[in-house]
Amino acid sequence: MLQLTKFVARTLSFRLSLMVLVALAILLMVALFFVFGYSRKAVKEEALAKADQTLETVVQRIDNILLDVEQSSGNIYCKMLLHANEPNMMDTCCRTLVELEPYIAGCAIAYEPGFFKSHPEGFMVYYHRSANENGMGVGPVQRTDTLGTLPYNEQNWYVNTLKARAPFWTDPWDDNQQQSYTSFCLPIQIGDKRVGVMVVDISLTSLSKIVLETKVSPNSFCTLLGKDGRYIVHPDSSKLNESVLEIVKKDSDPLVQEAASAMLAGETGYKYVRLRGEDSYVFYKPFERNAVDGRSMEKLGWSAGIIYPADDIFGDYRRLHYTVLIIAGAGLLLLLLFCQTFIHRQLLPLRMLSKYAQRIAEGHHDETIPDSRQQDEVGRLQNHFQRMQQSLGVHVSEMKQLSDTLQERGEVLRAAYEQAHVADRMKTQFLYNMSNQMMSPVKSIYSDVMTINDSYDKLTDEDCNQLADDIQQKGDKITGLLNQLIAESEKKKV
């Protein structure tokens, strides 16, 4: 790390490349942030629109199946009324309805005891399709004559339908073989009297297979709940016997329970949940039937929903996100390499000038700097540096000559200074010697004068003359020394 730091600190081209890279990376990240944010919002809005459209398609498709069954049943119902006193016609109508309508898994027609004189104990006929292992009605139409073998024998179907004021659809129910159905029930009324019932069954497995062909994405699926929470449509046929309320109790995600409660409450919207370890969106809306003349429009209380995995919604977006980031990262690395190479080449003249500057600093002023072919700032800098080096060489040469001259003159001045210093020492020594020579006569004169002054009355004429002669001799000696000093001074001046 320390070596990398030193490398960055000492390499101008790499620092410039990093600055360019950081600036572009920041700009790119900001742009991608807004682009991806807008894209995610657009993808989510598109998913909401697709889910809503698919839900509407599912509701319409189911409603079309129900309406087709209702209309077919109504047509047979009208035909039955035209032949109300013919038991054999009831059998034919029931069989015809099951054979001609592919969505119908079974049909039962029953009359009150005594309505047919030939059947004082009551009349009942039931036709159904034989089903495969998936509950799909694919086999021939068969008749069941025994009341105990009816799939809804324990559902009070006859009593409930006879008491109904209008045709209605039942919530899901199971037969003896644990196959799930929903039934369209019509009370048979002649005049003011209800004399029987007609029940038409639709296999929920068959309905699921038909509805589940409508998908908003490969991994999404549709569901349809009855008002009691049981599945009317589900991709897993084993769940058609279960209630969504029982299933969500096993799920720890409270949002799943909220979504289920919202569906059963007939609300419209969506929730973000986690199902089967996968993030998903649950879109739901109440099942509403189209109003058709003569149709019974009672509220079914059903709710349609779509489980839309988040990966189906944002999978391509995320893959594009990662792809763009990888491409952007690779592009930035290539840009760094390109900038490093380009700037390094552009800075080669500066590296050369740095080398020549170091050589000049070491005293090599006569080296030739090559001309630059570049016309940019670096080229002009190299040419200016070349002229500066040439000018510096001239100045250095001149300074060297001047230095040599000054050195010569300094040597002369140094010699003169030495001579002056020697002369000064000699002068000082001479003065010192002269002073020493005059000191003794002066002291002698001073002593004689003090003797005369102190002992004048006691001195004889002979003593006085002798002292005067001594003073005269000493004075002449001092005068001679002074004349010699003056003479030497005059010589120095000359």
Side-chain angles (χ1 to χ4, degrees):
M1 185 64 182
L2 183 59
Q3 294 180 352
L4 178 61
T5 304
K6 290 182 178 179
F7 173 77
V8 173
R10 296 180 57 185
T11 309
L12 178 61
S13 60
F14 192 75
R15 290 205 307 274
L16 292 176
S17 301
L18 282 180
M19 291 174 64
V20 173
L21 183 68
V22 170
L24 287 178
I26 293 175
L27 181 62
L28 181 61
M29 290 300 103
V30 172
L32 289 179
F33 175 79
F34 285 103
V35 169
F36 284 134
Y38 178 80
S39 300
R40 183 180 179 85
K41 180 180 178 182
V43 168
K44 186 174 182 179
E45 291 178 352
E46 181 182 3
L48 290 174
K50 287 174 63 177
D52 184 70
Q53 183 179 4
T54 304
L55 267 179
E56 187 63 29
T57 301
V58 169
V59 170
Q60 289 297 325
R61 190 164 187 181
I62 296 175
D63 188 53
N64 288 339
I65 294 174
L66 300 184
L67 181 60
D68 191 20
V69 172
E70 292 175 14
Q71 290 178 339
S72 298
S73 302
N75 293 335
I76 295 298
Y77 181 84
C78 293
K79 187 175 182 180
M80 287 169 48
L81 293 182
L82 295 176
H83 304 277
N85 296 320
E86 303 177 23
N88 293 334
M89 185 58 65
M90 304 301 107
D91 186 274
T92 302
C93 290
C94 185
R95 181 183 181 89
T96 300
L97 181 59
V98 177
E99 289 178 340
L100 296 182
E101 185 57 60
Y103 301 117
I104 295 178
C107 177
I109 299 176
Y111 279 85
E112 288 278 271
F115 181 79
F116 293 112
K117 295 180 180 180
S118 58
H119 298 80
E121 74 285 357
F123 176 84
M124 190 280 298
V125 61
Y126 175 68
Y127 278 91
H128 64 94
R129 296 178 186 274
S130 59
N132 62 7
E133 59 182 4
N134 294 324
M136 299 286 288
V138 295
V141 177
Q142 301 174 352
R143 175 172 174 169
T144 298
D145 294 322
T146 305
L147 184 63
T149 60
L150 291 179
Y152 33 75
N153 185 47
E154 298 179 0
Q155 301 295 325
N156 295 322
W157 59 279
Y158 183 85
V159 176
N160 292 336
T161 305
L162 196 64
K163 292 180 179 180
R165 297 182 179 181
F168 65 94
W169 285 93
T170 66
D171 281 332
W173 54 271
D174 302 331
D175 64 4
N176 298 328
Q177 298 179 352
Q178 296 301 309
Q179 296 297 328
S180 299
Y181 299 88
T182 183
S183 301
F184 179 61
C185 303
L186 301 90
I188 302 174
Q189 186 167 333
I190 298 178
D192 296 332
K193 185 177 180 181
R194 294 178 183 176
V195 298
V197 299
M198 177 178 178
V199 179
V200 180
D201 306 327
I202 297 178
S203 170
L204 296 187
T205 303
S206 176
L207 187 62
S208 296
K209 296 296 182 182
I210 295 171
V211 173
L212 291 175
E213 295 175 0
T214 305
K215 284 191 172 186
V216 68
S217 69
N219 299 312
S220 65
F221 60 91
C222 302
T223 62
L224 184 65
L225 299 181
K227 64 181 179 181
D228 60 352
R230 292 188 60 180
Y231 286 108
I232 298 175
V233 172
H234 196 280
D236 187 357
S237 59
S238 64
K239 295 188 182 300
L240 295 177
N241 298 321
E242 300 181 20
S243 170
V244 67
L245 297 177
E246 296 297 328
I247 295 176
V248 298
K249 286 181 181 178
K250 304 175 184 178
D251 201 309
S252 59
D253 189 353
L255 293 177
V256 175
Q257 301 177 11
E258 291 180 11
S261 300
M263 291 183 67
L264 295 178
E267 298 178 5
T268 300
Y270 72 93
K271 290 189 180 298
Y272 181 77
V273 300
R274 188 169 183 80
L275 292 174
R276 297 176 294 187
E278 184 178 32
D279 294 332
S280 304
Y281 284 87
V282 178
F283 299 87
Y284 48 86
K285 66 182 300 184
F287 180 84
E288 297 178 354
R289 299 189 292 168
N290 292 323
V292 179
D293 291 341
R295 188 180 191 185
S296 176
M297 295 301 296
E298 77 279 0
K299 292 287 185 179
L300 299 182
W302 297 356
S303 181
I306 290 181
I307 311 302
Y308 201 165
D311 190 60
D312 285 7
I313 300 177
F314 299 109
D316 292 337
Y317 164 80
R318 289 170 181 166
R319 286 185 283 272
L320 177 62
H321 190 177
Y322 297 142
T323 301
V324 170
L325 289 179
I326 292 174
I327 293 175
L332 290 175
L333 290 178
L334 290 176
L335 178 63
L336 177 62
L337 179 62
F338 173 78
C339 288
Q340 170 68 14
T341 303
F342 177 77
I343 297 176
H344 179 76
R345 293 184 55 137
Q346 293 298 313
L347 293 180
L348 283 178
L350 293 181
R351 295 169 64 90
M352 180 190 66
L353 293 179
S354 175
K355 177 181 176 182
Y356 278 110
Q358 180 65 29
R359 296 284 295 171
I360 291 173
E362 294 173 355
H364 303 281
H365 306 98
D366 55 348
E367 294 188 0
T368 303
I369 298 176
D371 295 332
S372 176
R373 298 180 180 179
Q374 298 179 216
Q375 303 298 322
D376 55 8
E377 291 81 355
V378 177
R380 293 196 295 272
L381 175 63
Q382 182 175 344
N383 292 331
H384 293 330
F385 196 88
Q386 181 189 52
R387 290 195 290 272
M388 183 192 72
Q389 187 268 342
Q390 294 172 353
S391 177
L392 181 62
V394 173
H395 285 295
V396 168
S397 178
E398 294 176 352
M399 291 295 293
K400 185 176 181 182
Q401 293 178 359
L402 181 60
S403 177
D404 293 341
T405 302
L406 292 175
Q407 187 174 4
E408 292 176 359
R409 292 182 179 180
E411 292 295 332
V412 173
L413 291 174
R414 187 178 297 107
Y417 174 77
E418 291 294 334
Q419 293 177 0
H421 187 65
V422 171
D424 186 65
R425 285 201 305 270
M426 292 176 64
K427 180 181 178 180
T428 302
Q429 186 66 33
F430 174 76
L431 291 175
Y432 179 76
N433 292 334
M434 293 295 290
S435 298
N436 286 338
Q437 292 179 17
M438 287 188 292
M439 185 62 66
S440 179
V442 169
K443 287 182 178 181
S444 179
I445 293 173
Y446 177 76
S447 178
D448 291 343
V449 171
M450 291 302 296
T451 300
I452 294 172
N453 185 53
D454 293 336
S455 303
Y456 179 74
D457 295 335
K458 297 176 181 183
L459 294 177
T460 63
D461 292 337
E462 184 180 357
D463 294 332
C464 290
N465 290 332
Q466 187 178 356
L467 290 172
D469 292 337
D470 187 56
I471 293 172
Q472 181 66 40
Q473 291 177 1
K474 299 298 181 182
D476 291 340
K477 188 176 180 178
I478 293 174
T479 302
L481 291 174
L482 291 174
N483 289 333
Q484 185 181 355
L485 179 62
I486 294 171
E488 290 294 331
S489 176
E490 292 295 334
K491 291 179 180 179
K492 297 294 182 180
K493 292 181 179 180
V494 174

